[in-house]
Amino acid sequence: MHYKYNGFINVYKEAGWTSMDVCAKLKGILGVRKIGHAGTLDPMAEGVLPVAVGRATKDIDFVGDGFKEYRAEMLLGVTTDTEDITGNVLGRYEGELPGETEVRDAVMSFVGEYDQLTPMYSARKVNGKKLYEYARAGKEVERKTKHISIDSISIEKVMLPKVTFTVRCSKGTYIRSLCRDIGEKLGCGACMSALLRTRVGDFEIGEALRIAEISELAGSGTGGIDSILSIRHATAVTIGKFDGAHVGHQALIRELKKTAEALKLRTLVIILKFGKPGVLTDAERKEKLYELGVDYCIELEFTPELMNMSAEDFLEKILIDRFCMKAIVGGKDISFGRGKAGNAEFLYANADKYGYTVDLIEKVKIEGESGRTSRTSEGDSAEVPADDAGRDISSTMLRSAIKNGDMQMASELLGSSYSISGVVVHGKGLAGSSRMNYPTMNIEVADELNVPPYGVYAVKAEIFESEGSKGAGTAAGGGGRGAGTGPGGCSAGSGGGDSVLTVSGIANLGERPTVHGSVEGGTRLRLEVHAFGDIGDCYGKLMKVQFCSFIRPERKFDSIDELISQIFEKDIPACESYFSRHGES
């Protein structure tokens, strides 16, 4: 199971929310199913609530086991059943309250370790049932004490009957129970009247975001949320654009996993986003990296702030502090920071200081054939360099192959067929009409993609029964239909537990100029697929289209009848011939 977002978010929990309320709200905002929090805060309390999203839920203990800091207000002379001001009053002290010196001495006496009795209104379980469930039913049950540690207390203000103090304590400490215990020691009783959590481990209140702020970031795209995610487990890191996740990137990921396994680290890929069209959408790039076995993928927008950040700051503030890096893996030309100062020499020089290892590998070289040709967007043959063998595999090489419609080269570089994915949407219905009898499945192509030349292709399509089951769609939308009438066949399979139908067919990538009037008609770029074989209703299903061979460029025909003739007399036979040559009749 892959997740759109994976990591920790430093949430500012507001008063009136339970910790689970926060998680439920974030599930809706982020569109994820797996969320947890590190350390419960009572509804009346505010402050830092670390929330683990997606795969980070397995690392919650790396956050929750650390010290926490609180700013608390204690009300002397009042005791309640919940041990805070929200509960039912059990008693009010009628005598004279202790003096300030006595109060200060009592508060400070709790610095150190002691056994604290768990409050009845708490989530700890007794006999498989939460204590607050007993309390709400009016039942008192025997509770055990828990050994806790109060690292420090700083008394900020004493204005009797209220006392304000800051406390640094261990996991499992109840501040309202601390107030109760102080009140008992003073003989007047006490309850907690306000609480602000200011720190949980490395999560500080100054960096915590309210739900409304997180919602706004989510609306700005994947990179918005990634900008606030952190990782708390020690990681092995690699950095790059990873456009296409080609075979060179895949070799790097294998080395990253090898290093992480040896050192018992999580794997993290940091994707630098430059805002330019890529081979994959953001979602597809992450999905492919997760399929390669990466634990975490984080996108960093290449903003002016990041561009001007020194190599030292990038290393310390991002790689070490935010992502807990203990190993870095990359190519020998690795670089980051202002002026690309974060190079191999820099990394080796700082390894002992920050406690990480460095593993730099050679780039993978292509083993392609020589003298091959590819198709340009105009349909003419264009020579590939006489001998590609020995060249470093790069994203530039991959983009060039795709731009030229060289699907064979693109597939070699990707290690699999080049594809575009998306949810099938409604077309104009012309192709499936009685006039054409050529039903198609339509997917909108994301603006962020580098795409092959507009034209007709022989394709293979995977259609997933569950919408979004692969998690890598290039577009969202309504439905579409495909009920192919040409020769060929379909095969059923499964992927990720979902039923998958695989079918060969013919596709047009472009703007449909015969229908819309011109190649530059300003319409949304679409991929239309006609399946060879009856596949039924595909509205709303995710489809992954693999480009097998370029047939011809897109052009405007003088009439629909001329287009129909081209499709049935030339294009479909050309696709049939391709599949026949490759043993896929």
Side-chain angles (χ1 to χ4, degrees):
M1 175 66 181
H2 304 149
Y3 299 93
K4 186 177 181 181
Y5 303 112
N6 296 282
F8 280 89
I9 299 178
N10 185 358
V11 180
Y12 185 102
K13 190 196 84 67
E14 300 172 70
W17 294 65
T18 68
S19 299
M20 290 309 297
D21 286 341
V22 171
C23 289
K25 185 68 174 178
L26 286 176
K27 280 184 180 181
I29 292 172
L30 303 180
V32 299
R33 285 182 280 176
K34 199 168 185 180
I35 278 184
H37 61 80
T40 302
L41 273 179
D42 294 332
M44 71 167 288
E46 296 193 13
V48 173
L49 181 69
V51 173
V53 180
R55 294 181 168 198
T57 53
K58 62 186 178 183
D59 292 335
I60 283 180
D61 288 345
F62 290 92
V63 174
D65 286 345
F67 272 85
K68 300 176 175 66
E69 292 180 357
Y70 298 86
R71 186 174 185 270
E73 182 185 80
M74 176 176 62
L75 176 64
L76 296 177
V78 177
T79 56
T80 69
D81 56 357
T82 61
E83 301 177 2
D84 61 36
I85 200 67
T86 67
N88 298 312
V89 176
L90 299 178
R92 296 183 183 275
Y93 185 66
E94 299 297 335
E96 183 177 349
L97 291 176
E100 180 176 338
T101 300
E102 187 178 353
V103 169
R104 287 180 176 272
D105 289 344
V107 171
M108 297 306 297
S109 70
F110 282 86
V111 175
E113 299 181 0
Y114 83 101
D115 294 324
Q116 187 182 72
L117 181 64
T118 301
M120 276 299 301
Y121 281 89
S122 69
R124 283 195 188 142
K125 291 184 177 181
V126 173
N127 298 324
K129 193 174 181 179
K130 294 177 180 179
L131 282 171
Y132 66 73
E133 294 177 321
Y134 291 110
R136 288 171 181 170
K139 297 180 180 179
E140 183 84 17
V141 297
E142 184 178 352
R143 294 159 283 159
K144 294 181 179 180
T145 60
K146 183 176 178 64
H147 194 73
I148 63 159
S149 175
I150 305 294
D151 188 59
S152 65
I153 297 178
S154 174
I155 299 174
E156 298 178 12
K157 184 166 59 176
V158 178
M159 293 187 65
L160 298 176
K162 292 184 177 181
V163 181
T164 303
F165 59 91
T166 298
V167 57
R168 185 173 188 266
C169 57
S170 65
K171 172 187 177 181
T173 302
Y174 285 89
I175 304 302
R176 49 195 166 98
S177 295
L178 174 62
C179 293
R180 173 203 66 199
D181 295 341
I182 293 171
E184 288 180 356
K185 184 165 188 173
L186 288 169
C188 61
C191 68
M192 186 180 73
S193 50
L195 184 66
L196 176 69
R197 185 153 69 189
T198 56
R199 188 183 187 101
V200 177
D202 294 331
F203 294 90
E204 300 179 5
I205 195 165
E207 299 172 351
L209 297 175
R210 297 174 186 267
I211 292 293
E213 295 174 299
I214 297 170
S215 181
E216 184 177 350
L217 279 172
S220 66
T222 304
I225 293 298
D226 277 13
S227 69
I228 60 173
L229 292 174
S230 63
I231 299 169
R232 296 298 95 197
H233 191 291
T235 61
V237 176
T238 189
I239 308 169
K241 290 180 285 187
F242 291 92
D243 185 17
H246 53 62
V247 292
H249 295 140
Q250 293 165 33
L252 185 61
I253 297 303
R254 287 194 294 272
E255 189 66 23
L256 179 72
K257 291 170 64 178
K258 180 180 176 182
T259 297
E261 184 177 353
L263 299 176
K264 294 182 172 54
L265 307 174
R266 300 277 192 252
T267 50
L268 165 64
V269 174
I270 297 177
I271 302 167
L272 297 178
K273 288 186 61 181
F274 290 85
K276 299 178 181 179
V279 175
L280 299 173
T281 65
D282 293 344
E284 287 175 323
R285 181 167 47 246
K286 277 189 172 183
E287 179 71 14
K288 188 165 184 178
L289 290 167
Y290 283 132
E291 287 178 347
L292 292 172
V294 171
D295 292 312
Y296 291 103
C297 294
I298 300 290
E299 294 177 352
L300 294 183
E301 297 277 359
F302 199 63
T303 60
E305 180 184 5
L306 188 63
M307 181 174 62
N308 293 314
M309 182 178 288
S310 69
E312 291 83 357
D313 282 349
F314 189 91
L315 173 62
E316 182 173 354
K317 295 179 180 179
I318 294 181
L319 298 181
I320 303 297
D321 293 346
R322 183 175 163 191
F323 296 132
C324 297
M325 186 185 79
K326 292 297 181 182
I328 186 164
V329 179
K332 292 189 175 181
D333 61 347
I334 190 171
S335 65
F336 56 82
R338 187 172 57 246
K340 298 184 178 181
N343 53 25
E345 182 181 358
F346 172 86
L347 287 170
Y348 283 119
N350 286 280
D352 289 340
K353 177 181 177 182
Y354 290 102
Y356 61 81
T357 64
V358 182
D359 181 12
L360 303 183
I361 65 174
E362 297 286 350
K363 284 193 172 183
V364 176
K365 298 184 183 296
I366 193 167
E367 298 178 358
E369 301 172 1
S370 62
R372 292 189 297 106
T373 60
S374 62
R375 294 285 185 178
T376 68
S377 57
E378 290 74 31
D380 301 322
S381 294
E383 287 193 9
V384 175
D387 190 3
D388 287 325
R391 293 176 58 200
D392 290 341
I393 291 176
S394 67
S395 296
T396 300
M397 183 186 295
L398 175 59
R399 286 193 296 269
S400 178
I402 293 170
K403 180 180 179 181
N404 289 330
D406 188 346
M407 296 298 100
Q408 180 183 342
M409 172 66 88
S411 296
E412 289 175 8
L413 296 174
L414 288 168
S416 60
S417 297
Y418 170 80
S419 64
I420 293 177
S421 302
V423 176
V424 180
V425 301
H426 284 286
K428 286 184 172 294
L430 177 62
S433 67
S434 59
R435 183 179 181 185
M436 289 193 72
N437 192 25
Y438 179 76
T440 60
M441 297 170 286
N442 297 263
I443 58 177
E444 294 180 346
V445 180
D447 295 335
E448 63 192 276
L449 282 180
N450 273 308
V451 296
Y454 292 0
V456 177
Y457 293 83
V459 300
K460 295 194 72 173
E462 292 179 297
I463 303 160
F464 298 85
E465 287 301 314
S466 298
E467 181 179 337
S469 62
K470 288 285 287 180
T474 64
R481 180 177 177 80
T485 56
C490 309
S491 62
S494 63
D498 296 294
S499 177
V500 182
L501 182 67
T502 302
V503 60
S504 57
I506 182 172
N508 183 81
L509 173 68
E511 297 178 341
R512 297 149 292 165
T514 305
V515 176
H516 293 285
S518 70
V519 175
E520 301 297 334
T523 60
R524 181 72 183 268
L525 179 61
R526 284 204 179 190
L527 178 61
E528 291 184 286
V529 179
H530 172 73
F532 296 162
D534 188 2
I535 58 174
D537 190 342
C538 293
Y539 288 150
K541 294 180 181 178
L542 182 70
M543 178 169 64
K544 180 179 180 180
V545 182
Q546 300 175 14
F547 287 62
C548 300
S549 181
F550 183 88
I551 303 300
R552 66 166 175 86
E554 183 178 55
R555 68 182 180 89
K556 184 179 184 299
F557 291 89
D558 293 335
S559 68
I560 295 296
D561 288 336
E562 187 180 349
L563 171 61
I564 293 172
S565 177
Q566 172 70 34
I567 291 172
F568 285 96
E569 294 179 14
K570 297 181 180 180
D571 296 343
I572 289 179
C575 288
E576 292 173 11
S577 176
Y578 169 83
F579 289 120
S580 178
R581 292 195 309 271
H582 290 79
E584 299 177 28
S585 59

mmCIF file of all heavy atoms in Angstrom, residues 437-469:
data_model
loop_
_atom_site.group_PDB
_atom_site.id
_atom_site.type_symbol
_atom_site.label_atom_id
_atom_site.label_comp_id
_atom_site.label_asym_id
_atom_site.label_seq_id
_atom_site.Cartn_x
_atom_site.Cartn_y
_atom_site.Cartn_z
ATOM 1 N N ASN A 437 -18.483 3.867 -35.034
ATOM 2 C CA ASN A 437 -18.374 2.541 -34.397
ATOM 3 C C ASN A 437 -16.934 2.284 -33.943
ATOM 4 O O ASN A 437 -16.352 1.240 -34.213
ATOM 5 C CB ASN A 437 -18.836 1.436 -35.347
ATOM 6 C CG ASN A 437 -19.004 0.102 -34.624
ATOM 7 O OD1 ASN A 437 -19.225 0.080 -33.405
ATOM 8 N ND2 ASN A 437 -18.897 -0.984 -35.355
ATOM 9 N N TYR A 438 -16.401 3.280 -33.242
ATOM 10 C CA TYR A 438 -14.986 3.243 -32.833
ATOM 11 C C TYR A 438 -14.890 3.791 -31.400
ATOM 12 O O TYR A 438 -14.348 4.842 -31.149
ATOM 13 C CB TYR A 438 -14.184 4.106 -33.818
ATOM 14 C CG TYR A 438 -12.703 4.218 -33.555
ATOM 15 C CD1 TYR A 438 -11.837 3.172 -33.849
ATOM 16 C CD2 TYR A 438 -12.161 5.402 -33.037
ATOM 17 C CE1 TYR A 438 -10.471 3.298 -33.630
ATOM 18 C CE2 TYR A 438 -10.799 5.542 -32.818
ATOM 19 C CZ TYR A 438 -9.954 4.496 -33.116
ATOM 20 O OH TYR A 438 -8.611 4.627 -32.902
ATOM 21 N N PRO A 439 -15.520 3.095 -30.433
ATOM 22 C CA PRO A 439 -15.561 3.612 -29.057
ATOM 23 C C PRO A 439 -14.160 3.742 -28.456
ATOM 24 O O PRO A 439 -13.296 2.889 -28.696
ATOM 25 C CB PRO A 439 -16.381 2.569 -28.299
ATOM 26 C CG PRO A 439 -16.252 1.331 -29.111
ATOM 27 C CD PRO A 439 -16.147 1.765 -30.540
ATOM 28 N N THR A 440 -13.960 4.799 -27.714
ATOM 29 C CA THR A 440 -12.649 5.051 -27.114
ATOM 30 C C THR A 440 -12.769 5.332 -25.631
ATOM 31 O O THR A 440 -13.807 5.764 -25.130
ATOM 32 C CB THR A 440 -11.954 6.245 -27.790
ATOM 33 O OG1 THR A 440 -12.767 7.419 -27.639
ATOM 34 C CG2 THR A 440 -11.693 5.986 -29.249
ATOM 35 N N MET A 441 -11.660 5.095 -24.957
ATOM 36 C CA MET A 441 -11.496 5.501 -23.556
ATOM 37 C C MET A 441 -10.595 6.738 -23.557
ATOM 38 O O MET A 441 -9.528 6.731 -24.177
ATOM 39 C CB MET A 441 -10.857 4.376 -22.737
ATOM 40 C CG MET A 441 -11.706 3.130 -22.658
ATOM 41 S SD MET A 441 -10.796 1.736 -21.938
ATOM 42 C CE MET A 441 -9.703 1.296 -23.294
ATOM 43 N N ASN A 442 -11.020 7.771 -22.862
ATOM 44 C CA ASN A 442 -10.312 9.050 -22.861
ATOM 45 C C ASN A 442 -9.713 9.339 -21.489
ATOM 46 O O ASN A 442 -10.392 9.184 -20.464
ATOM 47 C CB ASN A 442 -11.271 10.189 -23.213
ATOM 48 C CG ASN A 442 -11.845 10.061 -24.605
ATOM 49 O OD1 ASN A 442 -11.367 10.669 -25.539
ATOM 50 N ND2 ASN A 442 -12.904 9.255 -24.740
ATOM 51 N N ILE A 443 -8.466 9.759 -21.475
ATOM 52 C CA ILE A 443 -7.882 10.283 -20.241
ATOM 53 C C ILE A 443 -7.240 11.630 -20.545
ATOM 54 O O ILE A 443 -6.641 11.827 -21.610
ATOM 55 C CB ILE A 443 -6.850 9.325 -19.599
ATOM 56 C CG1 ILE A 443 -5.711 8.990 -20.555
ATOM 57 C CG2 ILE A 443 -7.514 8.077 -19.091
ATOM 58 C CD1 ILE A 443 -4.636 8.106 -19.923
ATOM 59 N N GLU A 444 -7.399 12.577 -19.634
ATOM 60 C CA GLU A 444 -6.774 13.883 -19.783
ATOM 61 C C GLU A 444 -5.310 13.780 -19.379
ATOM 62 O O GLU A 444 -4.968 13.116 -18.405
ATOM 63 C CB GLU A 444 -7.507 14.921 -18.937
ATOM 64 C CG GLU A 444 -8.929 15.172 -19.423
ATOM 65 C CD GLU A 444 -9.663 16.196 -18.583
ATOM 66 O OE1 GLU A 444 -9.168 16.514 -17.470
ATOM 67 O OE2 GLU A 444 -10.719 16.669 -19.019
ATOM 68 N N VAL A 445 -4.459 14.452 -20.118
ATOM 69 C CA VAL A 445 -3.022 14.381 -19.884
ATOM 70 C C VAL A 445 -2.591 15.592 -19.074
ATOM 71 O O VAL A 445 -2.888 16.740 -19.434
ATOM 72 C CB VAL A 445 -2.248 14.314 -21.220
ATOM 73 C CG1 VAL A 445 -0.746 14.240 -20.964
ATOM 74 C CG2 VAL A 445 -2.707 13.102 -22.022
ATOM 75 N N ALA A 446 -1.890 15.359 -17.982
ATOM 76 C CA ALA A 446 -1.481 16.434 -17.083
ATOM 77 C C ALA A 446 -0.560 17.431 -17.780
ATOM 78 O O ALA A 446 0.310 17.054 -18.576
ATOM 79 C CB ALA A 446 -0.782 15.844 -15.861
ATOM 80 N N ASP A 447 -0.746 18.707 -17.471
ATOM 81 C CA ASP A 447 0.079 19.764 -18.070
ATOM 82 C C ASP A 447 1.551 19.623 -17.705
ATOM 83 O O ASP A 447 2.417 20.114 -18.416
ATOM 84 C CB ASP A 447 -0.430 21.136 -17.621
ATOM 85 C CG ASP A 447 -1.827 21.429 -18.145
ATOM 86 O OD1 ASP A 447 -2.200 20.853 -19.182
ATOM 87 O OD2 ASP A 447 -2.549 22.229 -17.503
ATOM 88 N N GLU A 448 1.842 18.973 -16.579
ATOM 89 C CA GLU A 448 3.213 18.899 -16.088
ATOM 90 C C GLU A 448 4.061 17.852 -16.809
ATOM 91 O O GLU A 448 5.234 17.663 -16.483
ATOM 92 C CB GLU A 448 3.209 18.590 -14.585
ATOM 93 C CG GLU A 448 2.597 17.241 -14.257
ATOM 94 C CD GLU A 448 2.333 17.059 -12.772
ATOM 95 O OE1 GLU A 448 3.264 16.668 -12.050
ATOM 96 O OE2 GLU A 448 1.188 17.315 -12.338
ATOM 97 N N LEU A 449 3.478 17.166 -17.808
ATOM 98 C CA LEU A 449 4.190 16.083 -18.469
ATOM 99 C C LEU A 449 4.893 16.514 -19.755
ATOM 100 O O LEU A 449 4.359 17.295 -20.537
ATOM 101 C CB LEU A 449 3.214 14.957 -18.824
ATOM 102 C CG LEU A 449 2.778 14.003 -17.717
ATOM 103 C CD1 LEU A 449 1.817 12.976 -18.288
ATOM 104 C CD2 LEU A 449 3.966 13.317 -17.086
ATOM 105 N N ASN A 450 6.098 15.969 -19.960
ATOM 106 C CA ASN A 450 6.696 15.931 -21.285
ATOM 107 C C ASN A 450 6.070 14.748 -22.007
ATOM 108 O O ASN A 450 6.053 13.636 -21.478
ATOM 109 C CB ASN A 450 8.215 15.698 -21.191
ATOM 110 C CG ASN A 450 8.981 16.990 -21.020
ATOM 111 O OD1 ASN A 450 8.803 17.918 -21.784
ATOM 112 N ND2 ASN A 450 9.841 17.036 -20.011
ATOM 113 N N VAL A 451 5.558 14.949 -23.206
ATOM 114 C CA VAL A 451 4.858 13.869 -23.898
ATOM 115 C C VAL A 451 5.492 13.593 -25.258
ATOM 116 O O VAL A 451 6.197 14.444 -25.812
ATOM 117 C CB VAL A 451 3.357 14.207 -24.083
ATOM 118 C CG1 VAL A 451 2.666 14.323 -22.744
ATOM 119 C CG2 VAL A 451 3.184 15.486 -24.905
ATOM 120 N N PRO A 452 5.242 12.412 -25.809
ATOM 121 C CA PRO A 452 5.731 12.091 -27.154
ATOM 122 C C PRO A 452 5.047 12.974 -28.194
ATOM 123 O O PRO A 452 4.091 13.700 -27.885
ATOM 124 C CB PRO A 452 5.337 10.621 -27.331
ATOM 125 C CG PRO A 452 4.999 10.118 -25.969
ATOM 126 C CD PRO A 452 4.514 11.288 -25.205
ATOM 127 N N PRO A 453 5.481 12.916 -29.441
ATOM 128 C CA PRO A 453 4.829 13.696 -30.496
ATOM 129 C C PRO A 453 3.344 13.359 -30.586
ATOM 130 O O PRO A 453 2.951 12.206 -30.412
ATOM 131 C CB PRO A 453 5.561 13.248 -31.772
ATOM 132 C CG PRO A 453 6.879 12.736 -31.297
ATOM 133 C CD PRO A 453 6.626 12.139 -29.956
ATOM 134 N N TYR A 454 2.516 14.364 -30.856
ATOM 135 C CA TYR A 454 1.102 14.106 -31.068
ATOM 136 C C TYR A 454 0.958 13.149 -32.237
ATOM 137 O O TYR A 454 1.594 13.322 -33.280
ATOM 138 C CB TYR A 454 0.348 15.400 -31.389
ATOM 139 C CG TYR A 454 0.242 16.386 -30.246
ATOM 140 C CD1 TYR A 454 0.804 16.116 -29.008
ATOM 141 C CD2 TYR A 454 -0.436 17.588 -30.422
ATOM 142 C CE1 TYR A 454 0.701 17.025 -27.965
ATOM 143 C CE2 TYR A 454 -0.540 18.508 -29.385
ATOM 144 C CZ TYR A 454 0.030 18.223 -28.165
ATOM 145 O OH TYR A 454 -0.068 19.142 -27.138
ATOM 146 N N GLY A 455 0.127 12.157 -32.062
ATOM 147 C CA GLY A 455 -0.054 11.211 -33.153
ATOM 148 C C GLY A 455 -0.709 9.927 -32.713
ATOM 149 O O GLY A 455 -1.248 9.805 -31.602
ATOM 150 N N VAL A 456 -0.632 8.926 -33.582
ATOM 151 C CA VAL A 456 -1.265 7.629 -33.362
ATOM 152 C C VAL A 456 -0.203 6.607 -32.971
ATOM 153 O O VAL A 456 0.888 6.571 -33.563
ATOM 154 C CB VAL A 456 -1.995 7.176 -34.640
ATOM 155 C CG1 VAL A 456 -2.606 5.788 -34.460
ATOM 156 C CG2 VAL A 456 -3.087 8.185 -35.010
ATOM 157 N N TYR A 457 -0.537 5.771 -31.988
ATOM 158 C CA TYR A 457 0.404 4.789 -31.449
ATOM 159 C C TYR A 457 -0.277 3.435 -31.284
ATOM 160 O O TYR A 457 -1.482 3.358 -31.014
ATOM 161 C CB TYR A 457 0.918 5.236 -30.073
ATOM 162 C CG TYR A 457 1.787 6.459 -30.095
ATOM 163 C CD1 TYR A 457 1.223 7.729 -30.114
ATOM 164 C CD2 TYR A 457 3.172 6.345 -30.089
ATOM 165 C CE1 TYR A 457 2.022 8.861 -30.130
ATOM 166 C CE2 TYR A 457 3.987 7.473 -30.098
ATOM 167 C CZ TYR A 457 3.406 8.722 -30.129
ATOM 168 O OH TYR A 457 4.205 9.841 -30.144
ATOM 169 N N ALA A 458 0.509 2.388 -31.436
ATOM 170 C CA ALA A 458 0.089 1.063 -30.980
ATOM 171 C C ALA A 458 0.342 1.028 -29.473
ATOM 172 O O ALA A 458 1.420 1.414 -29.013
ATOM 173 C CB ALA A 458 0.890 -0.025 -31.676
ATOM 174 N N VAL A 459 -0.657 0.600 -28.710
ATOM 175 C CA VAL A 459 -0.546 0.676 -27.254
ATOM 176 C C VAL A 459 -1.039 -0.606 -26.595
ATOM 177 O O VAL A 459 -1.752 -1.413 -27.200
ATOM 178 C CB VAL A 459 -1.354 1.864 -26.683
ATOM 179 C CG1 VAL A 459 -0.860 3.194 -27.248
ATOM 180 C CG2 VAL A 459 -2.849 1.691 -26.938
ATOM 181 N N LYS A 460 -0.657 -0.749 -25.331
ATOM 182 C CA LYS A 460 -1.260 -1.746 -24.454
ATOM 183 C C LYS A 460 -1.784 -0.986 -23.247
ATOM 184 O O LYS A 460 -1.100 -0.091 -22.728
ATOM 185 C CB LYS A 460 -0.248 -2.807 -24.027
ATOM 186 C CG LYS A 460 0.258 -3.660 -25.181
ATOM 187 C CD LYS A 460 0.978 -4.906 -24.680
ATOM 188 C CE LYS A 460 -0.021 -5.888 -24.093
ATOM 189 N NZ LYS A 460 0.638 -7.181 -23.743
ATOM 190 N N ALA A 461 -2.998 -1.321 -22.838
ATOM 191 C CA ALA A 461 -3.617 -0.599 -21.728
ATOM 192 C C ALA A 461 -3.932 -1.554 -20.584
ATOM 193 O O ALA A 461 -4.417 -2.671 -20.806
ATOM 194 C CB ALA A 461 -4.888 0.097 -22.188
ATOM 195 N N GLU A 462 -3.632 -1.105 -19.383
ATOM 196 C CA GLU A 462 -4.031 -1.820 -18.160
ATOM 197 C C GLU A 462 -5.171 -1.037 -17.535
ATOM 198 O O GLU A 462 -5.039 0.157 -17.273
ATOM 199 C CB GLU A 462 -2.867 -1.922 -17.180
ATOM 200 C CG GLU A 462 -1.736 -2.816 -17.635
ATOM 201 C CD GLU A 462 -0.616 -2.833 -16.606
ATOM 202 O OE1 GLU A 462 -0.018 -1.768 -16.364
ATOM 203 O OE2 GLU A 462 -0.346 -3.899 -16.059
ATOM 204 N N ILE A 463 -6.289 -1.701 -17.292
ATOM 205 C CA ILE A 463 -7.471 -1.055 -16.736
ATOM 206 C C ILE A 463 -7.724 -1.661 -15.358
ATOM 207 O O ILE A 463 -7.918 -2.874 -15.229
ATOM 208 C CB ILE A 463 -8.694 -1.255 -17.650
ATOM 209 C CG1 ILE A 463 -8.374 -0.710 -19.054
ATOM 210 C CG2 ILE A 463 -9.919 -0.553 -17.079
ATOM 211 C CD1 ILE A 463 -9.268 -1.260 -20.128
ATOM 212 N N PHE A 464 -7.717 -0.811 -14.349
ATOM 213 C CA PHE A 464 -7.819 -1.264 -12.959
ATOM 214 C C PHE A 464 -9.254 -1.145 -12.480
ATOM 215 O O PHE A 464 -9.906 -0.115 -12.654
ATOM 216 C CB PHE A 464 -6.879 -0.451 -12.065
ATOM 217 C CG PHE A 464 -5.435 -0.618 -12.433
ATOM 218 C CD1 PHE A 464 -4.855 0.164 -13.430
ATOM 219 C CD2 PHE A 464 -4.645 -1.576 -11.822
ATOM 220 C CE1 PHE A 464 -3.533 0.010 -13.800
ATOM 221 C CE2 PHE A 464 -3.318 -1.746 -12.178
ATOM 222 C CZ PHE A 464 -2.765 -0.958 -13.170
ATOM 223 N N GLU A 465 -9.739 -2.209 -11.855
ATOM 224 C CA GLU A 465 -11.134 -2.250 -11.428
ATOM 225 C C GLU A 465 -11.446 -1.200 -10.370
ATOM 226 O O GLU A 465 -12.526 -0.640 -10.336
ATOM 227 C CB GLU A 465 -11.491 -3.641 -10.906
ATOM 228 C CG GLU A 465 -11.615 -4.674 -12.004
ATOM 229 C CD GLU A 465 -12.670 -4.294 -13.029
ATOM 230 O OE1 GLU A 465 -13.778 -3.883 -12.644
ATOM 231 O OE2 GLU A 465 -12.383 -4.398 -14.232
ATOM 232 N N SER A 466 -10.479 -0.944 -9.459
ATOM 233 C CA SER A 466 -10.702 0.051 -8.410
ATOM 234 C C SER A 466 -10.123 1.366 -8.860
ATOM 235 O O SER A 466 -8.955 1.440 -9.224
ATOM 236 C CB SER A 466 -10.049 -0.384 -7.089
ATOM 237 O OG SER A 466 -10.618 -1.583 -6.641
ATOM 238 N N GLU A 467 -10.923 2.443 -8.824
ATOM 239 C CA GLU A 467 -10.460 3.748 -9.256
ATOM 240 C C GLU A 467 -9.272 4.166 -8.410
ATOM 241 O O GLU A 467 -9.308 4.133 -7.188
ATOM 242 C CB GLU A 467 -11.563 4.806 -9.107
ATOM 243 C CG GLU A 467 -11.131 6.184 -9.568
ATOM 244 C CD GLU A 467 -12.246 7.199 -9.444
ATOM 245 O OE1 GLU A 467 -13.420 6.794 -9.425
ATOM 246 O OE2 GLU A 467 -11.928 8.392 -9.363
ATOM 247 N N GLY A 468 -8.197 4.577 -9.073
ATOM 248 C CA GLY A 468 -7.016 5.060 -8.362
ATOM 249 C C GLY A 468 -6.252 3.972 -7.661
ATOM 250 O O GLY A 468 -5.442 4.248 -6.791
ATOM 251 N N SER A 469 -6.477 2.675 -8.024
ATOM 252 C CA SER A 469 -5.843 1.582 -7.288
ATOM 253 C C SER A 469 -4.334 1.597 -7.387
ATOM 254 O O SER A 469 -3.646 1.094 -6.520
ATOM 255 C CB SER A 469 -6.389 0.240 -7.776
ATOM 256 O OG SER A 469 -6.083 0.044 -9.150
#
